[in-house]
Amino acid sequence: MISIFSFYSFTEWFLIFLAAFIIGLSKAGLKGVDMLSVTLMAFVFGSKSSTGIVLPLLCLADIAAVRYYNRHAQWKHFWKLVPWMIIGILIGVYIGKEMNEVLFRKIMAAIILLTIVIVVLMEYRKSTQVPQHPMFAVSTGLAAGLTTMLGNLAGTFANLYFLAMRMPKNDFIGTAAWIFLFMNLFKLPFQVFFWHNINIHSLQTDLVLIPALALGFWMGLRIVGRIRDEQYRKLVILLTLIGSALMLFKR
């Protein structure tokens, strides 16, 4: 029997473990660092194939986040985003199944560039008024659904929405936890039966990564607990910009 550890080099295992650790940090509340985990996983497995490795880890971390932050969920935002995210996912299933890696990376780069522009514009906007037009939730939800199917990048657009709503730290994290638990579970059958990205081999890899995921979540809770609300907003914007830049310049 061939050991799962023989499938990847030492460097690749280091990057994979680091990515799993970062997923744990992100789901514990350090929003924005998830872009780095997407980049690391895509470096080892390829942009599209990595989604099948990452998705089960996201589901596990989402369950932990829901258990910890459940009481802080703001359900009105859940129902504003989720229907449009479902539509975005279905669009992603259709256009992404036969998409080649080169085109996939170009689309991701364009999305990340747009994200950087939006984040910067939001930060320099002087008004504290939150967007009220229904199209803001519609467009954000569609973009989040599409990008979560194509590359597990919905966190960036969700961050934009919650930042625009100027939600307190725990409400931000708790609402995001419920949204992404629902959406990631919704994506599972498509990854298994349509894209065939999740299989016995990918699940064996995920099983090995659970300790790194758990450690990241534990450390993330302790870090987030020390951050005040006003500092949290600035941190999320900074981490989102850094992660977006890394994705944009990845070859």
Side-chain angles (χ1 to χ4, degrees), residues 89-138:
I89 287 174
L90 295 176
I91 294 172
V93 171
Y94 177 75
I95 69 174
K97 184 177 180 182
E98 304 299 333
M99 187 178 295
N100 64 64
E101 291 285 333
V102 174
L103 178 60
F104 188 90
R105 287 196 298 269
K106 288 182 179 179
I107 291 175
M108 289 299 102
I111 291 170
I112 299 308
L113 179 60
L114 174 63
T115 301
I116 292 174
V117 172
I118 293 173
V119 171
V120 171
L121 289 176
M122 283 177 53
E123 181 62 8
Y124 279 91
R125 189 183 65 179
K126 300 300 182 182
S127 173
T128 59
Q129 185 178 4
V130 299
Q132 298 292 336
H133 198 286
M135 282 307 298
F136 181 72
V138 171

mmCIF file of all heavy atoms in Angstrom, residues 89-138:
data_model
loop_
_atom_site.group_PDB
_atom_site.id
_atom_site.type_symbol
_atom_site.label_atom_id
_atom_site.label_comp_id
_atom_site.label_asym_id
_atom_site.label_seq_id
_atom_site.Cartn_x
_atom_site.Cartn_y
_atom_site.Cartn_z
ATOM 1 N N ILE A 89 -23.472 30.015 -7.954
ATOM 2 C CA ILE A 89 -22.854 28.690 -7.941
ATOM 3 C C ILE A 89 -23.295 27.873 -9.149
ATOM 4 O O ILE A 89 -22.473 27.218 -9.823
ATOM 5 C CB ILE A 89 -23.197 27.943 -6.636
ATOM 6 C CG1 ILE A 89 -22.413 28.543 -5.470
ATOM 7 C CG2 ILE A 89 -22.884 26.447 -6.757
ATOM 8 C CD1 ILE A 89 -22.786 27.965 -4.118
ATOM 9 N N LEU A 90 -24.582 27.896 -9.454
ATOM 10 C CA LEU A 90 -25.102 27.133 -10.584
ATOM 11 C C LEU A 90 -24.498 27.625 -11.908
ATOM 12 O O LEU A 90 -24.183 26.828 -12.794
ATOM 13 C CB LEU A 90 -26.625 27.221 -10.621
ATOM 14 C CG LEU A 90 -27.345 26.573 -9.428
ATOM 15 C CD1 LEU A 90 -28.852 26.804 -9.525
ATOM 16 C CD2 LEU A 90 -27.034 25.086 -9.345
ATOM 17 N N ILE A 91 -24.312 28.933 -12.024
ATOM 18 C CA ILE A 91 -23.637 29.470 -13.207
ATOM 19 C C ILE A 91 -22.198 28.967 -13.262
ATOM 20 O O ILE A 91 -21.693 28.562 -14.320
ATOM 21 C CB ILE A 91 -23.669 31.015 -13.198
ATOM 22 C CG1 ILE A 91 -25.104 31.518 -13.333
ATOM 23 C CG2 ILE A 91 -22.806 31.576 -14.337
ATOM 24 C CD1 ILE A 91 -25.253 33.018 -13.132
ATOM 25 N N GLY A 92 -21.528 28.968 -12.106
ATOM 26 C CA GLY A 92 -20.153 28.488 -12.045
ATOM 27 C C GLY A 92 -20.026 27.024 -12.398
ATOM 28 O O GLY A 92 -19.059 26.613 -13.055
ATOM 29 N N VAL A 93 -20.991 26.204 -11.972
ATOM 30 C CA VAL A 93 -20.986 24.779 -12.325
ATOM 31 C C VAL A 93 -21.034 24.614 -13.832
ATOM 32 O O VAL A 93 -20.299 23.809 -14.418
ATOM 33 C CB VAL A 93 -22.181 24.051 -11.670
ATOM 34 C CG1 VAL A 93 -22.314 22.624 -12.209
ATOM 35 C CG2 VAL A 93 -22.015 24.007 -10.166
ATOM 36 N N TYR A 94 -21.880 25.397 -14.480
ATOM 37 C CA TYR A 94 -22.073 25.264 -15.927
ATOM 38 C C TYR A 94 -20.847 25.729 -16.712
ATOM 39 O O TYR A 94 -20.380 25.031 -17.616
ATOM 40 C CB TYR A 94 -23.299 26.061 -16.353
ATOM 41 C CG TYR A 94 -23.540 26.050 -17.844
ATOM 42 C CD1 TYR A 94 -24.060 24.919 -18.469
ATOM 43 C CD2 TYR A 94 -23.237 27.164 -18.630
ATOM 44 C CE1 TYR A 94 -24.263 24.899 -19.835
ATOM 45 C CE2 TYR A 94 -23.435 27.155 -19.995
ATOM 46 C CZ TYR A 94 -23.951 26.017 -20.596
ATOM 47 O OH TYR A 94 -24.153 25.993 -21.952
ATOM 48 N N ILE A 95 -20.304 26.902 -16.364
ATOM 49 C CA ILE A 95 -19.217 27.455 -17.177
ATOM 50 C C ILE A 95 -17.847 26.927 -16.766
ATOM 51 O O ILE A 95 -16.878 27.034 -17.517
ATOM 52 C CB ILE A 95 -19.199 28.998 -17.132
ATOM 53 C CG1 ILE A 95 -18.781 29.498 -15.735
ATOM 54 C CG2 ILE A 95 -20.529 29.565 -17.545
ATOM 55 C CD1 ILE A 95 -18.600 30.999 -15.663
ATOM 56 N N GLY A 96 -17.764 26.331 -15.563
ATOM 57 C CA GLY A 96 -16.449 25.946 -15.060
ATOM 58 C C GLY A 96 -16.040 24.516 -15.311
ATOM 59 O O GLY A 96 -14.868 24.178 -15.199
ATOM 60 N N LYS A 97 -16.984 23.641 -15.670
ATOM 61 C CA LYS A 97 -16.668 22.216 -15.784
ATOM 62 C C LYS A 97 -15.583 21.946 -16.807
ATOM 63 O O LYS A 97 -14.664 21.162 -16.569
ATOM 64 C CB LYS A 97 -17.930 21.420 -16.128
ATOM 65 C CG LYS A 97 -17.686 19.912 -16.165
ATOM 66 C CD LYS A 97 -18.964 19.146 -16.440
ATOM 67 C CE LYS A 97 -18.696 17.646 -16.464
ATOM 68 N NZ LYS A 97 -19.911 16.872 -16.766
ATOM 69 N N GLU A 98 -15.687 22.580 -17.978
ATOM 70 C CA GLU A 98 -14.732 22.324 -19.057
ATOM 71 C C GLU A 98 -13.710 23.451 -19.209
ATOM 72 O O GLU A 98 -12.980 23.493 -20.191
ATOM 73 C CB GLU A 98 -15.483 22.126 -20.381
ATOM 74 C CG GLU A 98 -16.539 21.035 -20.349
ATOM 75 C CD GLU A 98 -15.944 19.668 -20.041
ATOM 76 O OE1 GLU A 98 -14.763 19.452 -20.349
ATOM 77 O OE2 GLU A 98 -16.671 18.825 -19.466
ATOM 78 N N MET A 99 -13.658 24.354 -18.255
ATOM 79 C CA MET A 99 -12.768 25.497 -18.374
ATOM 80 C C MET A 99 -11.307 25.074 -18.220
ATOM 81 O O MET A 99 -10.966 24.331 -17.310
ATOM 82 C CB MET A 99 -13.113 26.543 -17.311
ATOM 83 C CG MET A 99 -12.358 27.851 -17.450
ATOM 84 S SD MET A 99 -12.876 29.025 -16.172
ATOM 85 C CE MET A 99 -14.576 29.297 -16.640
ATOM 86 N N ASN A 100 -10.429 25.542 -19.119
ATOM 87 C CA ASN A 100 -9.019 25.185 -18.995
ATOM 88 C C ASN A 100 -8.322 26.060 -17.966
ATOM 89 O O ASN A 100 -8.798 27.141 -17.619
ATOM 90 C CB ASN A 100 -8.305 25.268 -20.360
ATOM 91 C CG ASN A 100 -8.269 26.687 -20.908
ATOM 92 O OD1 ASN A 100 -7.667 27.576 -20.327
ATOM 93 N ND2 ASN A 100 -8.922 26.901 -22.049
ATOM 94 N N GLU A 101 -7.175 25.589 -17.477
ATOM 95 C CA GLU A 101 -6.482 26.251 -16.371
ATOM 96 C C GLU A 101 -6.040 27.667 -16.721
ATOM 97 O O GLU A 101 -6.091 28.568 -15.889
ATOM 98 C CB GLU A 101 -5.268 25.413 -15.949
ATOM 99 C CG GLU A 101 -5.621 24.093 -15.283
ATOM 100 C CD GLU A 101 -6.100 24.287 -13.858
ATOM 101 O OE1 GLU A 101 -5.709 25.277 -13.221
ATOM 102 O OE2 GLU A 101 -6.888 23.450 -13.384
ATOM 103 N N VAL A 102 -5.574 27.888 -17.963
ATOM 104 C CA VAL A 102 -5.083 29.212 -18.355
ATOM 105 C C VAL A 102 -6.217 30.231 -18.309
ATOM 106 O O VAL A 102 -6.081 31.314 -17.736
ATOM 107 C CB VAL A 102 -4.460 29.170 -19.764
ATOM 108 C CG1 VAL A 102 -4.083 30.582 -20.214
ATOM 109 C CG2 VAL A 102 -3.236 28.256 -19.776
ATOM 110 N N LEU A 103 -7.352 29.875 -18.901
ATOM 111 C CA LEU A 103 -8.504 30.771 -18.886
ATOM 112 C C LEU A 103 -8.995 30.990 -17.467
ATOM 113 O O LEU A 103 -9.357 32.104 -17.085
ATOM 114 C CB LEU A 103 -9.622 30.188 -19.749
ATOM 115 C CG LEU A 103 -10.931 30.989 -19.797
ATOM 116 C CD1 LEU A 103 -10.678 32.390 -20.344
ATOM 117 C CD2 LEU A 103 -11.971 30.253 -20.637
ATOM 118 N N PHE A 104 -8.982 29.913 -16.673
ATOM 119 C CA PHE A 104 -9.420 30.001 -15.280
ATOM 120 C C PHE A 104 -8.592 31.033 -14.523
ATOM 121 O O PHE A 104 -9.127 31.881 -13.801
ATOM 122 C CB PHE A 104 -9.291 28.623 -14.629
ATOM 123 C CG PHE A 104 -9.882 28.537 -13.257
ATOM 124 C CD1 PHE A 104 -11.210 28.174 -13.080
ATOM 125 C CD2 PHE A 104 -9.123 28.806 -12.138
ATOM 126 C CE1 PHE A 104 -11.757 28.091 -11.820
ATOM 127 C CE2 PHE A 104 -9.663 28.717 -10.875
ATOM 128 C CZ PHE A 104 -10.983 28.361 -10.713
ATOM 129 N N ARG A 105 -7.255 30.961 -14.667
ATOM 130 C CA ARG A 105 -6.383 31.905 -13.952
ATOM 131 C C ARG A 105 -6.619 33.335 -14.416
ATOM 132 O O ARG A 105 -6.562 34.275 -13.614
ATOM 133 C CB ARG A 105 -4.920 31.504 -14.141
ATOM 134 C CG ARG A 105 -4.509 30.272 -13.371
ATOM 135 C CD ARG A 105 -2.993 30.165 -13.287
ATOM 136 N NE ARG A 105 -2.378 30.041 -14.600
ATOM 137 C CZ ARG A 105 -2.132 28.890 -15.208
ATOM 138 N NH1 ARG A 105 -2.479 27.751 -14.622
ATOM 139 N NH2 ARG A 105 -1.558 28.847 -16.382
ATOM 140 N N LYS A 106 -6.866 33.536 -15.705
ATOM 141 C CA LYS A 106 -7.106 34.883 -16.207
ATOM 142 C C LYS A 106 -8.400 35.463 -15.625
ATOM 143 O O LYS A 106 -8.459 36.637 -15.258
ATOM 144 C CB LYS A 106 -7.182 34.860 -17.739
ATOM 145 C CG LYS A 106 -5.831 34.628 -18.407
ATOM 146 C CD LYS A 106 -5.957 34.659 -19.918
ATOM 147 C CE LYS A 106 -4.597 34.463 -20.572
ATOM 148 N NZ LYS A 106 -4.689 34.463 -22.060
ATOM 149 N N ILE A 107 -9.423 34.634 -15.533
ATOM 150 C CA ILE A 107 -10.683 35.092 -14.952
ATOM 151 C C ILE A 107 -10.491 35.450 -13.482
ATOM 152 O O ILE A 107 -10.971 36.476 -13.000
ATOM 153 C CB ILE A 107 -11.771 34.021 -15.114
ATOM 154 C CG1 ILE A 107 -12.157 33.885 -16.584
ATOM 155 C CG2 ILE A 107 -13.007 34.367 -14.279
ATOM 156 C CD1 ILE A 107 -13.142 32.769 -16.863
ATOM 157 N N MET A 108 -9.773 34.581 -12.757
ATOM 158 C CA MET A 108 -9.514 34.854 -11.344
ATOM 159 C C MET A 108 -8.733 36.157 -11.176
ATOM 160 O O MET A 108 -9.014 36.958 -10.285
ATOM 161 C CB MET A 108 -8.742 33.699 -10.708
ATOM 162 C CG MET A 108 -9.539 32.419 -10.516
ATOM 163 S SD MET A 108 -10.982 32.613 -9.434
ATOM 164 C CE MET A 108 -12.295 32.704 -10.653
ATOM 165 N N ALA A 109 -7.741 36.387 -12.050
ATOM 166 C CA ALA A 109 -6.937 37.608 -11.956
ATOM 167 C C ALA A 109 -7.805 38.841 -12.183
ATOM 168 O O ALA A 109 -7.665 39.847 -11.478
ATOM 169 C CB ALA A 109 -5.802 37.571 -12.982
ATOM 170 N N ALA A 110 -8.728 38.763 -13.142
ATOM 171 C CA ALA A 110 -9.626 39.887 -13.413
ATOM 172 C C ALA A 110 -10.534 40.157 -12.220
ATOM 173 O O ALA A 110 -10.767 41.309 -11.842
ATOM 174 C CB ALA A 110 -10.455 39.593 -14.662
ATOM 175 N N ILE A 111 -11.031 39.080 -11.606
ATOM 176 C CA ILE A 111 -11.906 39.225 -10.439
ATOM 177 C C ILE A 111 -11.153 39.861 -9.282
ATOM 178 O O ILE A 111 -11.657 40.745 -8.581
ATOM 179 C CB ILE A 111 -12.483 37.859 -10.031
ATOM 180 C CG1 ILE A 111 -13.485 37.376 -11.090
ATOM 181 C CG2 ILE A 111 -13.168 37.938 -8.663
ATOM 182 C CD1 ILE A 111 -13.936 35.952 -10.902
ATOM 183 N N ILE A 112 -9.914 39.414 -9.075
ATOM 184 C CA ILE A 112 -9.114 39.950 -7.972
ATOM 185 C C ILE A 112 -8.803 41.425 -8.203
ATOM 186 O O ILE A 112 -8.830 42.235 -7.271
ATOM 187 C CB ILE A 112 -7.813 39.148 -7.807
ATOM 188 C CG1 ILE A 112 -8.134 37.691 -7.497
ATOM 189 C CG2 ILE A 112 -6.960 39.736 -6.696
ATOM 190 C CD1 ILE A 112 -9.093 37.491 -6.352
ATOM 191 N N LEU A 113 -8.490 41.794 -9.445
ATOM 192 C CA LEU A 113 -8.214 43.197 -9.759
ATOM 193 C C LEU A 113 -9.432 44.055 -9.434
ATOM 194 O O LEU A 113 -9.310 45.123 -8.825
ATOM 195 C CB LEU A 113 -7.847 43.347 -11.232
ATOM 196 C CG LEU A 113 -7.561 44.780 -11.713
ATOM 197 C CD1 LEU A 113 -6.403 45.382 -10.952
ATOM 198 C CD2 LEU A 113 -7.276 44.786 -13.210
ATOM 199 N N LEU A 114 -10.610 43.583 -9.823
ATOM 200 C CA LEU A 114 -11.843 44.306 -9.514
ATOM 201 C C LEU A 114 -12.022 44.434 -8.009
ATOM 202 O O LEU A 114 -12.411 45.486 -7.496
ATOM 203 C CB LEU A 114 -13.035 43.568 -10.124
ATOM 204 C CG LEU A 114 -14.429 44.124 -9.776
ATOM 205 C CD1 LEU A 114 -14.585 45.543 -10.301
ATOM 206 C CD2 LEU A 114 -15.512 43.209 -10.342
ATOM 207 N N THR A 115 -11.714 43.368 -7.285
ATOM 208 C CA THR A 115 -11.848 43.372 -5.828
ATOM 209 C C THR A 115 -10.954 44.422 -5.190
ATOM 210 O O THR A 115 -11.360 45.152 -4.283
ATOM 211 C CB THR A 115 -11.496 41.986 -5.258
ATOM 212 O OG1 THR A 115 -12.363 41.009 -5.833
ATOM 213 C CG2 THR A 115 -11.640 41.965 -3.744
ATOM 214 N N ILE A 116 -9.708 44.501 -5.648
ATOM 215 C CA ILE A 116 -8.771 45.483 -5.107
ATOM 216 C C ILE A 116 -9.312 46.901 -5.291
ATOM 217 O O ILE A 116 -9.285 47.718 -4.369
ATOM 218 C CB ILE A 116 -7.394 45.343 -5.782
ATOM 219 C CG1 ILE A 116 -6.746 44.015 -5.384
ATOM 220 C CG2 ILE A 116 -6.475 46.505 -5.400
ATOM 221 C CD1 ILE A 116 -5.453 43.724 -6.118
ATOM 222 N N VAL A 117 -9.828 47.184 -6.471
ATOM 223 C CA VAL A 117 -10.368 48.513 -6.758
ATOM 224 C C VAL A 117 -11.540 48.828 -5.828
ATOM 225 O O VAL A 117 -11.614 49.913 -5.247
ATOM 226 C CB VAL A 117 -10.811 48.605 -8.236
ATOM 227 C CG1 VAL A 117 -11.547 49.926 -8.486
ATOM 228 C CG2 VAL A 117 -9.602 48.487 -9.153
ATOM 229 N N ILE A 118 -12.442 47.866 -5.653
ATOM 230 C CA ILE A 118 -13.628 48.092 -4.811
ATOM 231 C C ILE A 118 -13.224 48.337 -3.361
ATOM 232 O O ILE A 118 -13.734 49.241 -2.695
ATOM 233 C CB ILE A 118 -14.585 46.889 -4.907
ATOM 234 C CG1 ILE A 118 -15.163 46.797 -6.321
ATOM 235 C CG2 ILE A 118 -15.715 47.025 -3.885
ATOM 236 C CD1 ILE A 118 -15.983 45.534 -6.559
ATOM 237 N N VAL A 119 -12.288 47.519 -2.851
ATOM 238 C CA VAL A 119 -11.857 47.675 -1.458
ATOM 239 C C VAL A 119 -11.234 49.041 -1.227
ATOM 240 O O VAL A 119 -11.516 49.719 -0.229
ATOM 241 C CB VAL A 119 -10.869 46.551 -1.066
ATOM 242 C CG1 VAL A 119 -10.261 46.828 0.303
ATOM 243 C CG2 VAL A 119 -11.580 45.204 -1.046
ATOM 244 N N VAL A 120 -10.387 49.479 -2.145
ATOM 245 C CA VAL A 120 -9.722 50.777 -1.995
ATOM 246 C C VAL A 120 -10.742 51.907 -2.039
ATOM 247 O O VAL A 120 -10.692 52.840 -1.223
ATOM 248 C CB VAL A 120 -8.658 50.964 -3.095
ATOM 249 C CG1 VAL A 120 -8.121 52.399 -3.078
ATOM 250 C CG2 VAL A 120 -7.515 49.977 -2.898
ATOM 251 N N LEU A 121 -11.687 51.837 -2.964
ATOM 252 C CA LEU A 121 -12.718 52.870 -3.059
ATOM 253 C C LEU A 121 -13.566 52.925 -1.792
ATOM 254 O O LEU A 121 -13.908 54.004 -1.309
ATOM 255 C CB LEU A 121 -13.606 52.609 -4.277
ATOM 256 C CG LEU A 121 -12.975 52.859 -5.643
ATOM 257 C CD1 LEU A 121 -13.940 52.468 -6.756
ATOM 258 C CD2 LEU A 121 -12.554 54.313 -5.801
ATOM 259 N N MET A 122 -13.883 51.755 -1.247
ATOM 260 C CA MET A 122 -14.678 51.722 -0.017
ATOM 261 C C MET A 122 -13.934 52.358 1.151
ATOM 262 O O MET A 122 -14.514 53.075 1.963
ATOM 263 C CB MET A 122 -15.022 50.273 0.338
ATOM 264 C CG MET A 122 -16.125 49.668 -0.498
ATOM 265 S SD MET A 122 -16.404 47.936 -0.054
ATOM 266 C CE MET A 122 -16.644 48.083 1.711
ATOM 267 N N GLU A 123 -12.649 52.108 1.229
ATOM 268 C CA GLU A 123 -11.877 52.619 2.353
ATOM 269 C C GLU A 123 -11.748 54.135 2.305
ATOM 270 O O GLU A 123 -11.723 54.796 3.335
ATOM 271 C CB GLU A 123 -10.489 51.974 2.351
ATOM 272 C CG GLU A 123 -9.600 52.419 3.492
ATOM 273 C CD GLU A 123 -10.148 52.071 4.871
ATOM 274 O OE1 GLU A 123 -11.168 51.347 4.959
ATOM 275 O OE2 GLU A 123 -9.576 52.547 5.863
ATOM 276 N N TYR A 124 -11.690 54.693 1.096
ATOM 277 C CA TYR A 124 -11.518 56.132 0.976
ATOM 278 C C TYR A 124 -12.847 56.889 0.922
ATOM 279 O O TYR A 124 -12.859 58.106 0.856
ATOM 280 C CB TYR A 124 -10.690 56.461 -0.272
ATOM 281 C CG TYR A 124 -9.208 56.283 -0.034
ATOM 282 C CD1 TYR A 124 -8.602 55.065 -0.303
ATOM 283 C CD2 TYR A 124 -8.431 57.314 0.487
ATOM 284 C CE1 TYR A 124 -7.246 54.876 -0.069
ATOM 285 C CE2 TYR A 124 -7.085 57.140 0.728
ATOM 286 C CZ TYR A 124 -6.489 55.923 0.442
ATOM 287 O OH TYR A 124 -5.151 55.729 0.679
ATOM 288 N N ARG A 125 -13.948 56.173 0.949
ATOM 289 C CA ARG A 125 -15.245 56.832 0.974
ATOM 290 C C ARG A 125 -15.472 57.436 2.355
ATOM 291 O O ARG A 125 -15.342 56.754 3.372
ATOM 292 C CB ARG A 125 -16.361 55.817 0.669
ATOM 293 C CG ARG A 125 -17.722 56.453 0.463
ATOM 294 C CD ARG A 125 -18.776 55.371 0.249
ATOM 295 N NE ARG A 125 -18.940 54.554 1.440
ATOM 296 C CZ ARG A 125 -19.801 53.551 1.533
ATOM 297 N NH1 ARG A 125 -20.526 53.221 0.489
ATOM 298 N NH2 ARG A 125 -19.902 52.861 2.661
ATOM 299 N N LYS A 126 -15.830 58.684 2.422
ATOM 300 C CA LYS A 126 -15.951 59.390 3.692
ATOM 301 C C LYS A 126 -17.272 59.085 4.403
ATOM 302 O O LYS A 126 -17.342 59.106 5.627
ATOM 303 C CB LYS A 126 -15.831 60.908 3.472
ATOM 304 C CG LYS A 126 -14.505 61.328 2.849
ATOM 305 C CD LYS A 126 -13.330 60.925 3.724
ATOM 306 C CE LYS A 126 -12.008 61.389 3.123
ATOM 307 N NZ LYS A 126 -10.847 60.952 3.942
ATOM 308 N N SER A 127 -18.318 58.807 3.632
ATOM 309 C CA SER A 127 -19.628 58.586 4.232
ATOM 310 C C SER A 127 -19.677 57.255 4.982
ATOM 311 O O SER A 127 -19.076 56.268 4.571
ATOM 312 C CB SER A 127 -20.705 58.593 3.136
ATOM 313 O OG SER A 127 -21.951 58.233 3.682
ATOM 314 N N THR A 128 -20.392 57.237 6.099
ATOM 315 C CA THR A 128 -20.576 56.006 6.868
ATOM 316 C C THR A 128 -21.915 55.344 6.537
ATOM 317 O O THR A 128 -22.274 54.338 7.149
ATOM 318 C CB THR A 128 -20.527 56.294 8.381
ATOM 319 O OG1 THR A 128 -21.552 57.238 8.709
ATOM 320 C CG2 THR A 128 -19.167 56.852 8.782
ATOM 321 N N GLN A 129 -22.649 55.893 5.575
ATOM 322 C CA GLN A 129 -23.935 55.321 5.180
ATOM 323 C C GLN A 129 -23.732 53.976 4.496
ATOM 324 O O GLN A 129 -22.837 53.817 3.663
ATOM 325 C CB GLN A 129 -24.666 56.279 4.232
ATOM 326 C CG GLN A 129 -26.070 55.824 3.850
ATOM 327 C CD GLN A 129 -26.757 56.833 2.960
ATOM 328 O OE1 GLN A 129 -26.164 57.834 2.572
ATOM 329 N NE2 GLN A 129 -28.017 56.566 2.625
ATOM 330 N N VAL A 130 -24.561 52.990 4.841
ATOM 331 C CA VAL A 130 -24.420 51.657 4.243
ATOM 332 C C VAL A 130 -25.265 51.582 2.983
ATOM 333 O O VAL A 130 -26.295 52.262 2.858
ATOM 334 C CB VAL A 130 -24.853 50.560 5.237
ATOM 335 C CG1 VAL A 130 -23.996 50.601 6.479
ATOM 336 C CG2 VAL A 130 -26.328 50.689 5.604
ATOM 337 N N PRO A 131 -24.862 50.758 1.996
ATOM 338 C CA PRO A 131 -25.638 50.621 0.758
ATOM 339 C C PRO A 131 -27.032 50.057 1.043
ATOM 340 O O PRO A 131 -27.167 49.054 1.740
ATOM 341 C CB PRO A 131 -24.806 49.626 -0.063
ATOM 342 C CG PRO A 131 -23.430 49.692 0.513
ATOM 343 C CD PRO A 131 -23.620 49.987 1.968
ATOM 344 N N GLN A 132 -28.057 50.690 0.473
ATOM 345 C CA GLN A 132 -29.430 50.258 0.693
ATOM 346 C C GLN A 132 -30.066 49.655 -0.559
ATOM 347 O O GLN A 132 -31.077 48.952 -0.452
ATOM 348 C CB GLN A 132 -30.274 51.456 1.153
ATOM 349 C CG GLN A 132 -29.826 52.072 2.464
ATOM 350 C CD GLN A 132 -30.041 51.148 3.658
ATOM 351 O OE1 GLN A 132 -30.891 50.260 3.628
ATOM 352 N NE2 GLN A 132 -29.257 51.337 4.714
ATOM 353 N N HIS A 133 -29.491 49.905 -1.720
ATOM 354 C CA HIS A 133 -30.110 49.427 -2.962
ATOM 355 C C HIS A 133 -30.045 47.903 -3.032
ATOM 356 O O HIS A 133 -29.003 47.309 -2.764
ATOM 357 C CB HIS A 133 -29.402 50.036 -4.173
ATOM 358 C CG HIS A 133 -30.211 49.962 -5.432
ATOM 359 N ND1 HIS A 133 -30.390 48.788 -6.136
ATOM 360 C CD2 HIS A 133 -30.913 50.924 -6.087
ATOM 361 C CE1 HIS A 133 -31.144 49.026 -7.191
ATOM 362 N NE2 HIS A 133 -31.481 50.308 -7.185
ATOM 363 N N PRO A 134 -31.160 47.246 -3.390
ATOM 364 C CA PRO A 134 -31.169 45.780 -3.456
ATOM 365 C C PRO A 134 -30.124 45.197 -4.401
ATOM 366 O O PRO A 134 -29.654 44.075 -4.196
ATOM 367 C CB PRO A 134 -32.592 45.463 -3.964
ATOM 368 C CG PRO A 134 -33.414 46.646 -3.586
ATOM 369 C CD PRO A 134 -32.490 47.824 -3.660
ATOM 370 N N MET A 135 -29.737 45.966 -5.424
ATOM 371 C CA MET A 135 -28.769 45.446 -6.391
ATOM 372 C C MET A 135 -27.394 45.230 -5.782
ATOM 373 O O MET A 135 -26.596 44.473 -6.326
ATOM 374 C CB MET A 135 -28.656 46.393 -7.594
ATOM 375 C CG MET A 135 -29.802 46.269 -8.582
ATOM 376 S SD MET A 135 -30.069 44.557 -9.147
ATOM 377 C CE MET A 135 -28.491 44.235 -9.963
ATOM 378 N N PHE A 136 -27.111 45.891 -4.658
ATOM 379 C CA PHE A 136 -25.813 45.665 -4.013
ATOM 380 C C PHE A 136 -25.729 44.232 -3.503
ATOM 381 O O PHE A 136 -24.744 43.530 -3.727
ATOM 382 C CB PHE A 136 -25.600 46.650 -2.871
ATOM 383 C CG PHE A 136 -24.278 46.481 -2.182
ATOM 384 C CD1 PHE A 136 -23.095 46.848 -2.800
ATOM 385 C CD2 PHE A 136 -24.205 45.934 -0.902
ATOM 386 C CE1 PHE A 136 -21.873 46.675 -2.179
ATOM 387 C CE2 PHE A 136 -22.997 45.758 -0.257
ATOM 388 C CZ PHE A 136 -21.826 46.138 -0.898
ATOM 389 N N ALA A 137 -26.783 43.772 -2.817
ATOM 390 C CA ALA A 137 -26.808 42.393 -2.337
ATOM 391 C C ALA A 137 -26.878 41.412 -3.496
ATOM 392 O O ALA A 137 -26.246 40.349 -3.459
ATOM 393 C CB ALA A 137 -27.993 42.188 -1.393
ATOM 394 N N VAL A 138 -27.632 41.752 -4.529
ATOM 395 C CA VAL A 138 -27.770 40.864 -5.692
ATOM 396 C C VAL A 138 -26.421 40.656 -6.373
ATOM 397 O O VAL A 138 -25.986 39.521 -6.617
ATOM 398 C CB VAL A 138 -28.797 41.433 -6.700
ATOM 399 C CG1 VAL A 138 -28.767 40.630 -8.002
ATOM 400 C CG2 VAL A 138 -30.192 41.424 -6.103
#
